[in-house]
Amino acid sequence: MIYSPQRIGLMGAGLIGREHAVLLSKNPGTELVAIADPADAAAVMAAEFGAQHYVDFRRMLDEERLDGVIIALPNALHADAAIACLERGIACLVEKPIADTLEAALRVVEAAERTGVPVLVGHQRRHSPDIAKARRMVAGGELGRLVAVNAMWMADKPDAYFDAAWRRQSGGGPLLINLIHDIDCLRFICGNIEEVMAFTSNAVRGFEVEDTASISVRFTSGALATMVMSDAAVSPYNWDTAAGQALYFPHQPENAYFFSGTKAALAVPGMDLWRHETEDGHWQHPLVRRHITLDGSRAYDNQLAHFIEVIARREKPLVSARDGMTTLASVLAISRSAAERRPVRPSEMLG
Ligand SMILES: NC(=O)c1ccc[n+]([C@@H]2O[C@H](COP(=O)([O-])OP(=O)(O)OC[C@H]3O[C@@H](n4cnc5c(N)ncnc54)[C@H](O)[C@@H]3O)[C@@H](O)[C@H]2O)c1
């Protein structure tokens, strides 16, 4: 079946907005109709992509006939922009985090559920074949009962990255920018998080915001995880470079997540499965490593293909507004745990 291209508006022509514009222009199922962003550079970018330029995103919504909108604005604008789309019956892909606060996230959830217009939250890793396969393997019992997980996100950001003041201030740190993706992946693969206990540190950079964190996680299933995160440490142990899926980083094949169950262990994104040769094998018997081959598709392309189906109401969002809010609550629970030096449940954050 051949459908006519979906008419897409883009809000925000910054770092990730440009990447969305490139993906849209390469996809025959979409047409980038308009870009809303008050920056001078956005007018130049709109001309480059043959799109109309708007300073005001509401004007774009009112003047253009759009099937879908991609919201790539600063976090504090996500909720108002998403609600403006929903009130006009337009499906939207809102970049992560769904909002800057849980109150704002809840406004989006309520608007989505009231209007019945779909919201897809931009946790693109869920669309990556390794993450999707890991979820199917854990859910299908290939690891037996999931027991424990070790997850890492560590990388060295350059000093110039912190020239933007908001990145040095509370809320602009790597927990909400980077680790939120790992939390979302672990929720997707292992199920909801019951409770977290965390330490954060700013010892390397000395900013108000954290540069490093260690986190203990208890999932509702009973499985436990430890996570380590830093944006001030040289390391190949982060999903972005390890999976080769990030848009502007080199591919350095490694693993970032290690899942262990009662029957087998799985390393992701390297996708090696370790298990005994026989059912009665145990730690004194050798393990056999099997490499799992994936389809080679890429997270951002798959996310856009899914968004096209969501716009057409042929698929439900893989990451709904409510799901995005739960991921945000889980990350904010980590911040609160570190600040108050006690275990915190995401459900407590959601009141
Ligand atoms: N999923 C991912 O992999 C990924 C990667 C990077 C960023 N992001 C998310 O995308 C969002 C944007 O991040 P970024 O790094 O591109 O930021 P950015 O600062 O590079 O771009 C934001 C753009 O929004 C524009 N803008 C500001 N106010 C506006 C308004 N009222 N109306 C229209 N445009 C306005 C700015 O002029 C700027 O061009 C953030 O929420 C971030 O968390 C997601």
Side-chain angles (χ1 to χ4, degrees):
M1 187 84 134
I2 298 173
Y3 301 101
S4 52
Q6 304 282 13
R7 295 170 56 81
I8 308 292
L10 175 64
M11 297 180 182
L15 198 66
I16 195 75
R18 168 167 282 278
E19 298 299 339
H20 282 299
V22 171
L23 290 163
L24 288 164
S25 66
K26 284 198 287 198
N27 192 314
T30 55
E31 182 188 349
L32 176 55
V33 173
I35 296 175
D37 187 322
D40 292 342
V44 177
M45 187 174 132
E48 179 188 339
F49 285 91
Q52 284 295 322
H53 175 240
Y54 289 85
V55 167
D56 180 353
F57 66 72
R58 286 190 177 79
R59 230 182 118 196
M60 176 179 81
L61 296 179
D62 291 335
E63 294 191 6
E64 296 287 346
R65 186 177 55 77
L66 299 173
D67 300 312
V69 166
I70 295 180
I71 300 170
L73 299 171
N75 298 351
L77 298 174
H78 287 189
D80 285 350
I83 292 166
C85 294
L86 297 174
E87 282 169 349
R88 291 163 176 81
I90 304 170
C92 59
L93 191 177
V94 56
E95 267 300 348
K96 57 79 208 139
I98 181 170
D100 57 335
T101 65
L102 285 172
E103 292 73 18
L106 188 59
R107 286 197 291 122
V108 181
V109 170
E110 285 172 352
E113 294 179 357
R114 176 170 41 81
T115 59
V117 179
V119 174
L120 173 65
V121 184
H123 286 294
Q124 77 281 347
R125 290 189 199 174
R126 290 199 194 190
H127 305 273
S128 185
D130 55 330
I131 300 299
K133 180 70 177 172
R135 174 182 162 93
R136 285 197 298 276
M137 290 174 72
V138 169
E142 283 191 55
L143 273 55
R145 180 185 168 159
L146 185 67
V147 177
V149 185
N150 197 344
M152 288 173 280
W153 190 94
M154 288 181 286
D156 55 328
K157 291 179 182 169
D159 290 345
Y161 177 91
F162 299 94
D163 289 347
W166 68 271
R167 290 185 165 136
R168 304 191 298 267
Q169 293 157 4
S170 180
L175 284 177
L176 268 170
I177 291 179
N178 306 107
L179 197 84
I180 190 167
H181 283 297
D182 302 286
I183 290 288
D184 189 70
C185 279
L186 293 194
R187 284 192 56 243
F188 187 55
I189 296 168
C190 310
N192 268 331
I193 292 172
E194 189 73 16
E195 198 170 26
V196 297
M197 181 74 207
F199 290 107
T200 54
S201 165
N202 62 356
V204 179
R205 297 192 195 281
F207 296 145
E208 174 187 333
V209 80
E210 75 283 347
D211 53 53
T212 305
S214 68
I215 303 141
S216 288
V217 177
R218 186 161 61 84
F219 294 96
T220 306
S221 69
L224 301 179
T226 63
M227 305 180 79
V228 187
M229 177 212 76
S230 180
D231 68 5
V234 173
S235 135
Y237 311 117
N238 64 77
W239 184 88
D240 300 291
T241 56
Q245 293 277 323
L247 291 165
Y248 15 74
F249 301 109
H251 181 197
Q252 299 182 157
E254 244 304 339
N255 287 304
Y257 307 148
F258 299 89
F259 299 90
S260 294
T262 52
K263 286 190 181 161
L266 175 69
V268 174
M271 300 308 285
D272 282 329
L273 182 74
W274 295 82
R275 64 183 162 205
H276 295 293
E277 267 174 303
T278 58
E279 280 291 314
D280 59 355
H282 56 69
W283 68 343
Q284 290 171 310
H285 300 131
L287 289 161
V288 178
R289 173 165 63 179
R290 177 163 71 88
H291 180 68
I292 295 156
T293 311
L294 301 172
D295 64 19
S297 66
R298 299 179 70 83
Y300 289 95
D301 294 323
N302 294 346
Q303 176 177 257
L304 181 55
H306 173 60
F307 184 46
I308 293 169
E309 297 304 302
V310 167
I311 292 172
R313 314 299 197 263
R314 290 188 291 268
E315 289 179 12
K316 297 246 179 271
L318 182 63
V319 195
S320 68
R322 190 167 283 281
D323 220 349
M325 180 174 73
T326 308
T327 289
L328 177 61
S330 305
V331 178
L332 294 177
I334 291 170
S335 298
R336 181 176 287 183
S337 169
E340 300 182 6
R341 298 190 166 250
R342 64 176 180 91
V344 175
R345 293 168 181 256
S347 58
E348 172 188 328
M349 306 303 296
L350 290 165

